[in-house]
Amino acid sequence: MASTLEEIAELSGVSRSTVSRVVNNDPRVSEATRELVLEVVRKEGYRPNLAARGLALGRSNVIAAVIPVGFENVLSDPYFPSLLQGMASAADTNDHFLMLSLGEPGFRHTVDEIARQGVVAGVIFSASKVDDPLLERLVATGTPVVSVGRPYDERVSYVDIDNRGSARQMTTQLLRLGYRRVALIAGPSFAPAAVDRSDGYADALSGFGLRVDENLIYEGDFSEASGRAGMRTLLEHRPDAVFSASDRMAAGALNEIRSAGLRIPEDIALVGFDDMPLAAEMEPPLTTVRQRPHQLGAAAATLLLDLLADPTGSPKRVILPTELIVRASCGSQLNQETLSR
Amino acid sequence: MASTLEEIAELSGVSRSTVSRVVNNDPRVSEATRELVLEVVRKEGYRPNLAARGLALGRSNVIAAVIPVGFENVLSDPYFPSLLQGMASAADTNDHFLMLSLGEPGFRHTVDEIARQGVVAGVIFSASKVDDPLLERLVATGTPVVSVGRPYDERVSYVDIDNRGSARQMTTQLLRLGYRRVALIAGPSFAPAAVDRSDGYADALSGFGLRVDENLIYEGDFSEASGRAGMRTLLEHRPDAVFSASDRMAAGALNEIRSAGLRIPEDIALVGFDDMPLAAEMEPPLTTVRQRPHQLGAAAATLLLDLLADPTGSPKRVILPTELIVRASCGSQLNQETLSR
DNA sequence: TTGTACGCGTTATCAG
DNA sequence: CTGATAACGCGTACAA
């Protein structure tokens, strides 16, 4: 039950320093004493005290995940849990811990305070809106930050998926199948991911020599309700296919289409984005773009740890691949196809 | 930009100790100097270094949330995010931080290690299975623990809802409406909450002088898929109503009922448990028991902090109220009724 | 009421 | 290769 360096030193008949070296894999220690000390360490179940280590080192091995989960509806799919799981997993394998901060306004301890307190070595920011002031403050104070999803500020490193390319490919898929009045249920314009997906949609249209028809675009907020409302509006303009920027909005759209007595995909094709678990269960199963929040979270944590190890470099970016998942809702059973980048 | 006690002392012309006392609201300091020091503290934006404080005090102000999220399906509703949000919120208002530990097997740093390292003052355990070895280890090492949901071990404090009473009330509701062949899609028997709900179901039946018919009980695992499979099995025995121990299983059951060409509630009534957001959106809207994960999380964190402040007392319990939410799926539009306890 | 001095457990520096 | 010893920033008996 010995739990300090001092005690281990006593038990193995060496000095504190030597034990410290052994614990930290310092090469400057003879193989013999290393073995000896390690034995005692194992036997006593010794673990270094992280507070003390953090104090001595001037840095901690705790990273914070900041998620401003203001909207209830953001919680309705396993995206954030998976993201967190990925971050926790990556942090763990790198001997770091994950601290959680739900950026609810009204929280007393804002993240920048936390960062300054030395508890946290770096921060992973997620679901930030465009031009988030909190993110700005963090950058200003020099706290290492990684954003999940492209941030407004060019200086911050981030991990993301290729939203624009994926949306383009999905829309192109619809166009290839012959649909010509492809509507878009977009995400909220304050979300970079939503903007990128809308851009990808436009890219695809112009790639086919088609012009963007504002009547065929509705801006939702990623919620199922907004998807349904959007679909109601769009139906007036007779689209033959709909690309929803999220599966949850697609679910709402699906309900509306059904209520209107239309069939999917015979009367109107429907595709989504995210491949949340529900997508495969829908009637008909939803064609969509698969992203892997778990990997995204893991990549974010890893990137942050890289930054911590080498604070000098310029902002880094990691773009994770997505997959086009073709199911019945788009009126085709083409083979599954992988978006490379 | 001054950030140590020493610097603040210098700037305000007093000693370190005095500044420390001011920061910690020690009464033994004159109002005059207090004002003076506070002014400097504010101006410099000073925040105490938590690592140092934790080291000196021998305890930290970080609590850990442990969630063994092995099953993908556990993530499919906002229960855990809400729970986490509640915990984070309560921790924050009490000047504590929340550390996340997904008890994935295969994690290198298990919670008991973390606790021993002094990083964490206490642990909130959630979704533990009956007789969880990790929980046992924590208790054995004397780490303050609070469980979300009744744990197997009698010695650990916990917060919970009245699963048994709520299930009894819900089942009784069905019996009052005249249903006599009330089936149960139970949760997994390793989950205390599931066991309690099954017991409540049985309570209600015996309250009406009915006997439990094993043919009308199916044990699922809280997943939608298991709900569907369970319903398929149960339909062979012609129930006139079904109580599902979770909304997600109810969703699966609903699909199966529909596939069988039966109407809800005309041919068969269906009720759930949880009141997840989707419940109100189902067709027909689902009668269910509402629990508030956010409050549960907040209560758990608060209880843990109480324990930390007063480690002596015997195990404490907090039972949160639930509400019976009556919607169309049970074939009645009675007024909403609150389960007191 | 205020200041001095020591300890918390670790790492790093510098002798040996 | 190993061992003293000084930080790291803070809280707190103890003394003034």
Side-chain angles (χ1 to χ4, degrees), chain B residues 13-279:
Chain B
V14 297
S15 77
R16 255 204 334 266
S17 332
T18 303
V19 179
S20 174
R21 292 191 185 99
V22 171
V23 170
N24 295 297
N25 289 317
D26 190 313
R28 305 174 305 176
V29 52
S30 75
E31 204 50 42
T33 46
R34 178 184 302 281
E35 288 301 331
L36 172 65
V37 173
L38 274 181
E39 180 57 32
V40 179
V41 164
R42 250 191 303 272
K43 185 155 151 288
E44 296 291 318
Y46 167 80
R47 302 286 158 184
N49 179 310
L50 292 180
R53 175 178 285 178
L55 185 57
L57 250 39
R59 59 185 171 78
S60 82
N61 57 349
V62 177
I63 58 179
V66 180
I67 304 183
V69 273
F71 335 98
E72 268 307 320
N73 51 34
V74 175
L75 297 177
S76 301
D77 81 67
Y79 179 83
F80 284 109
S82 292
L83 197 66
L84 282 173
Q85 216 174 326
M87 297 191 287
S89 175
D92 181 78
T93 59
N94 291 285
D95 291 316
H96 279 249
F97 298 105
L98 186 67
M99 179 165 292
L100 198 58
S101 175
L102 288 332
E104 249 181 19
F107 259 37
R108 296 173 51 201
H109 298 280
T110 56
V111 201
D112 53 341
E113 286 181 7
I114 297 175
R116 252 188 312 185
Q117 290 180 347
V119 243
V120 156
V123 174
I124 301 176
F125 224 83
S126 178
S128 70
K129 301 183 183 174
V130 168
D131 200 11
D132 194 309
L134 189 50
L135 184 55
E136 292 303 314
R137 277 214 301 275
L138 283 170
V139 173
T141 59
T143 309
V145 183
V146 165
S147 169
V148 175
R150 179 176 64 80
Y152 184 75
D153 192 317
E154 294 278 332
R155 294 168 298 175
V156 333
S157 298
Y158 67 88
V159 299
D160 204 352
I161 56 172
D162 181 13
N163 283 298
R164 183 166 184 164
S166 304
R168 182 186 52 68
Q169 193 140 353
M170 174 57 93
T171 309
T172 299
Q173 168 83 355
L174 291 173
L175 294 168
R176 283 214 190 101
L177 290 172
Y179 300 106
R180 280 302 172 271
R181 295 187 57 75
V182 180
L184 169 69
I185 301 179
S189 55
F190 60 73
V195 174
D196 290 350
R197 290 174 197 177
S198 296
D199 287 347
Y201 162 84
D203 290 348
L205 289 188
S206 65
F208 266 68
L210 298 175
R211 296 183 43 185
V212 171
D213 179 354
E214 289 299 333
N215 286 323
L216 290 179
I217 297 182
Y218 177 93
E219 179 177 329
D221 60 5
F222 283 145
S223 74
E224 189 168 336
S226 75
R228 180 153 197 167
M231 197 63 241
R232 186 158 14 209
T233 304
L234 291 172
L235 278 180
E236 296 171 11
H237 300 91
R238 305 269 159 211
D240 53 10
V242 179
F243 170 35
S244 165
S246 82
D247 285 356
R248 294 188 38 247
M249 292 196 294
L254 184 144
N255 284 332
E256 184 60 28
I257 292 172
R258 235 192 218 141
S259 299
L262 299 173
R263 295 163 305 165
I264 303 173
E266 291 81 358
D267 300 318
I268 187 168
L270 177 66
V271 302
F273 201 112
D274 286 342
D275 194 33
M276 54 183 267
L278 210 64

Side-chain angles (χ1 to χ4, degrees), chain A residues 13-225:
Chain A
V14 297
S15 76
R16 242 192 358 250
S17 324
T18 302
V19 180
S20 176
R21 292 193 185 98
V22 171
V23 170
N24 294 295
N25 288 317
D26 189 314
R28 304 174 304 178
V29 51
S30 75
E31 204 50 39
T33 47
R34 177 184 303 281
E35 288 302 331
L36 171 66
V37 173
L38 274 180
E39 181 55 33
V40 179
V41 164
R42 250 191 303 272
K43 185 154 152 288
E44 296 292 317
Y46 165 81
R47 303 286 158 184
N49 179 311
L50 291 179
R53 175 178 283 180
L55 183 57
L57 250 39
R59 61 189 169 74
S60 82
N61 55 352
V62 177
I63 59 179
V66 180
I67 305 183
V69 272
F71 334 98
E72 269 307 320
N73 52 34
V74 176
L75 298 177
S76 301
D77 81 69
Y79 179 84
F80 284 108
S82 291
L83 198 65
L84 284 173
Q85 217 175 326
M87 297 192 286
S89 175
D92 181 75
T93 59
N94 290 287
D95 292 314
H96 279 247
F97 299 105
L98 186 67
M99 179 164 291
L100 200 58
S101 175
L102 288 330
E104 249 181 19
F107 260 34
R108 296 172 50 201
H109 297 279
T110 56
V111 199
D112 51 344
E113 285 182 8
I114 297 174
R116 254 188 312 185
Q117 289 180 347
V119 243
V120 156
V123 174
I124 301 177
F125 224 83
S126 178
S128 70
K129 300 182 184 176
V130 168
D131 200 10
D132 194 306
L134 190 50
L135 184 55
E136 293 302 315
R137 278 215 301 277
L138 282 171
V139 173
T141 59
T143 309
V145 183
V146 165
S147 170
V148 175
R150 180 175 64 81
Y152 184 75
D153 192 316
E154 294 278 331
R155 293 168 300 175
V156 333
S157 298
Y158 66 89
V159 299
D160 205 353
I161 55 171
D162 181 14
N163 283 297
R164 184 166 183 164
S166 303
R168 182 187 53 67
Q169 192 140 350
M170 175 56 94
T171 309
T172 300
Q173 167 83 353
L174 291 173
L175 294 168
R176 283 213 190 102
L177 290 173
Y179 301 107
R180 280 302 172 271
R181 295 188 57 76
V182 180
L184 170 69
I185 302 179
S189 55
F190 60 72
V195 173
D196 290 349
R197 292 173 196 177
S198 295
D199 288 348
Y201 162 83
D203 289 349
L205 289 188
S206 63
F208 267 69
L210 298 174
R211 295 183 43 187
V212 172
D213 179 353
E214 289 299 333
N215 286 322
L216 290 180
I217 297 182
Y218 178 92
E219 179 177 328
D221 60 6
F222 282 143
S223 75
E224 188 168 336

Side-chain angles (χ1 to χ4, degrees), chain A residues 202-257:
Chain A
D203 289 349
L205 289 188
S206 63
F208 267 69
L210 298 174
R211 295 183 43 187
V212 172
D213 179 353
E214 289 299 333
N215 286 322
L216 290 180
I217 297 182
Y218 178 92
E219 179 177 328
D221 60 6
F222 282 143
S223 75
E224 188 168 336
S226 75
R228 179 155 199 165
M231 197 65 241
R232 186 157 15 209
T233 305
L234 292 172
L235 278 179
E236 297 171 11
H237 300 92
R238 303 271 159 209
D240 54 10
V242 180
F243 170 35
S244 166
S246 82
D247 284 355
R248 294 189 40 247
M249 293 196 294
L254 184 144
N255 284 334
E256 183 62 27
I257 292 172

